[in-house]
Amino acid sequence: MKAALVQVKAIRHELEEITATDIGRRVPVPAARSEIRQLAETINQTLDRLEAAAEQQRRFASDASHDLRSPLTAMRAQVEEALRYPDDVDWKTKAHAMLASLDRLQAIVSDLLILAKLDSGVPAHYERIDLGALVCSELDRRRRNVPIDREVQPGVAVTGDRLRLARLLTNLLDNAERHADSKVSVSVAREDGTAVVEVLDDGAGIAPEQRELVFQRFTRLDASRNRDAGGTGLGLPIAREIARTHGGILRLEDSVRGARFVLRIPLHPDQDGDL
């Protein structure tokens, strides 16, 4: 018993030093299989998760700083040029250029705030929603850059937060329109106890090995998927996080052409009543 207490005290002392100085260190694991060994292994697993979370936070802060700095640098250069040659400046053109940079800043900050709410677990307002009706409503009020075909099965109901699901759909449509060659297709259907929403563009598509990368924050792909710089690099991560908070999954699946995003959310328990 005394030996066990000595081991626990040593592990506690080591853990105190780790949390105070270097989260990359680990507590010693006794060779003998015992509850003390299980305790040390559990502590080290917890430290692994904490280190991974801390690294993710550092990377996120670095990426956010980079993306915020770019439009700020552009605006500063425009102002400095205008001050250096005030008589040669087309102020209307300059103002429109600066507004474009401000729009980008506003979009990034807005997405960062949404991610902060999702990460902090701000409660959602869940209700019974006709997903097909929500999709049609969003499509009807949307300003379109390309034609959008729709195929909506009626009566596909889910339990969800209306505003968050609308944001998820908007992010998918924004992404699809940026990369479509001529059109976007949207469908809503019921399949094996789940509601399925598909958003497909007819653009260049995404290689299978890059399909998970697009859901990482601030990730942008090269070549044709990056031909439009209008995205913040946060839309698809936000969409996946919203799907997760609804007990669903959002992923890229195979398609003959373009990128096919598929959202699956559990159906509402009662599919027979009126909404």
Side-chain angles (χ1 to χ4, degrees):
M1 184 67 177
K2 185 176 180 180
L5 290 176
V6 170
Q7 286 182 313
V8 170
K9 185 176 181 180
I11 290 174
R12 187 187 68 185
H13 177 71
E14 186 74 13
L15 183 59
E16 288 174 349
E17 287 193 0
I18 288 172
T19 54
T21 59
D22 181 9
I23 200 172
R25 289 167 51 189
R26 297 295 178 264
V27 301
V29 178
R33 295 192 174 277
S34 63
E35 291 185 356
I36 304 299
R37 178 183 176 127
Q38 292 176 0
L39 172 63
E41 289 174 342
T42 300
I43 289 173
N44 285 339
Q45 290 168 4
T46 302
L47 289 170
D48 287 342
R49 290 192 293 270
L50 285 173
E51 185 179 20
E55 176 58 29
Q56 183 182 27
Q57 287 288 71
R58 284 194 294 270
R59 190 165 55 248
F60 180 74
S62 174
D63 291 341
S65 299
H66 177 271
D67 274 54
L68 289 169
R69 186 165 55 245
S70 295
L72 286 172
T73 300
M75 286 190 292
R76 183 179 183 87
Q78 290 160 355
V79 171
E80 288 177 346
E81 181 185 15
L83 291 175
R84 190 176 296 115
Y85 308 106
D87 296 334
D88 299 329
V89 174
D90 181 338
W91 290 102
K92 185 175 181 180
T93 301
K94 187 69 66 178
H96 281 297
M98 293 186 68
L99 280 175
S101 295
L102 286 170
D103 286 342
R104 176 158 179 75
L105 271 177
Q106 186 174 10
I108 294 172
V109 171
S110 176
D111 281 350
L112 286 172
L113 289 173
I114 291 172
L115 276 175
K117 288 181 179 180
L118 292 170
D119 288 345
S120 64
V122 173
H125 176 66
Y126 290 105
E127 59 182 311
R128 190 171 187 268
I129 297 173
D130 184 327
L131 194 56
L134 177 64
V135 168
C136 288
S137 175
E138 291 300 311
L139 290 176
D140 289 342
R141 70 185 185 87
R142 183 178 181 83
R143 294 177 59 185
R144 304 180 186 182
N145 297 320
V146 296
I148 301 179
D149 297 336
R150 69 179 79 177
E151 184 176 346
V152 178
Q153 181 179 340
V156 179
V158 299
T159 302
D161 183 296
R162 186 176 299 275
L163 292 178
R164 291 187 181 182
L165 287 176
R167 180 58 186 248
L168 186 160
L169 178 64
T170 296
N171 288 2
L172 292 182
L173 290 171
D174 286 347
N175 178 78
E177 286 193 5
R178 281 199 302 272
H179 301 297
D181 284 339
S182 60
K183 71 173 183 177
V184 171
S185 300
V186 180
S187 67
V188 180
R190 184 187 297 126
E191 180 183 298
D192 297 330
T194 62
V196 181
V197 177
E198 295 189 9
V199 178
L200 170 68
D201 67 66
D202 64 348
I206 298 173
E209 65 272 15
Q210 294 183 313
R211 288 180 180 176
E212 283 301 306
L213 291 178
V214 301
F215 295 107
Q216 295 179 10
R217 297 175 184 187
F218 292 108
T219 295
R220 296 185 189 85
L221 303 183
D222 296 329
S224 58
R225 295 299 296 188
N226 194 33
R227 68 188 177 191
D228 186 308
T232 64
L234 294 171
L236 294 177
I238 287 173
R240 172 169 275 190
E241 185 62 19
I242 292 173
R244 187 193 65 78
T245 61
H246 284 75
I249 182 65
L250 172 65
R251 61 189 179 190
L252 270 163
E253 298 190 3
D254 293 339
S255 59
V256 175
R257 181 182 179 186
R260 175 173 164 248
F261 288 85
V262 182
L263 168 69
R264 289 182 169 84
I265 301 178
L267 288 168
H268 190 278
D270 176 14
Q271 285 285 281
D272 298 324
D274 295 330
L275 288 166

